[in-house]
Amino acid sequence: MTNYLTNRNFNDLDPMNFFNDLGNFGQKFFNNDEMKTDIKETDKSYEVAAELPGFKKDGIHIDYRDNTLRINAVHNLDKEDKDEKGRVLRQERSSSNVTRSFYLPGVDEDNVKATYDGGILKLSLPKMTEDKQDSHHITID
């Protein structure tokens, strides 16, 4: 029996290794994959803060269509364990995809601002002013 296998058997008793070995099932069961989101409405805008820890900026897609804000984030992770000789002992891949949609009517689409820092996506969605809205008041004669 190699030293790795002996150590591996003892390491299997470590609860964190147990949860890691559950793979995607363990991640979905023990971690909430839902995107935690705060939305504040002011007279002039909607302010959105969404938690996306571990996601890269280029894996986040945001769009606004039909009065609905959609945030989609994709995260791919490759993990490779090697022994002291560089041999691969275990190689795992996981993927996470979260999507949220929010009905936020009357947004001035041309002036939406987004930043992503420290795992927090922040959006400022200004509301349309009355002169930019698609409606027109019609007077009855």
Side-chain angles (χ1 to χ4, degrees):
M1 184 175 275
T2 67
N3 190 22
Y4 167 75
L5 292 176
T6 304
N7 289 338
R8 180 69 179 152
N9 289 337
F10 288 113
N11 287 340
D12 284 343
L13 299 176
D14 180 358
M16 293 314 297
N17 282 340
F18 171 77
F19 293 128
N20 287 338
D21 287 343
L22 286 175
N24 285 338
F25 172 77
Q27 289 175 359
K28 290 185 187 300
F29 187 76
F30 295 104
N31 296 329
N32 188 352
D33 281 342
E34 188 174 304
M35 181 189 320
K36 305 282 192 262
T37 308
D38 297 328
I39 301 175
K40 295 178 185 172
E41 181 178 11
T42 68
D43 291 339
K44 297 184 178 189
S45 69
Y46 299 101
E47 302 298 322
V48 178
E51 294 181 8
L52 292 166
F55 288 84
K56 294 182 180 175
K57 187 168 97 172
D58 60 354
I60 301 170
H61 177 76
I62 308 161
D63 69 47
Y64 181 83
R65 185 175 351 117
D66 300 326
N67 291 319
T68 302
L69 173 70
R70 289 173 190 81
I71 305 170
N72 177 265
V74 177
H75 176 67
N76 295 312
L77 177 67
D78 291 331
K79 181 178 180 181
E80 186 177 278
D81 289 339
K82 293 182 181 185
D83 67 6
E84 62 278 351
K85 294 182 181 178
R87 295 178 295 194
V88 176
L89 302 172
R90 177 177 67 181
Q91 186 171 356
E92 297 177 329
R93 289 159 228 48
S94 66
S95 177
S96 181
N97 185 358
V98 293
T99 301
R100 296 290 304 270
S101 296
F102 305 97
Y103 178 74
L104 302 173
V107 169
D108 180 0
E109 299 173 27
D110 296 330
N111 292 305
V112 173
K113 304 282 186 222
T115 60
Y116 184 64
D117 185 40
I120 305 293
L121 174 67
K122 291 183 179 180
L123 297 159
S124 180
L125 300 100
K127 294 179 180 178
M128 283 192 276
T129 58
E130 288 200 27
D131 59 327
K132 285 187 108 177
Q133 291 182 358
D134 292 335
S135 64
H136 177 71
H137 179 71
I138 299 172
T139 306
I140 301 173
D141 293 326

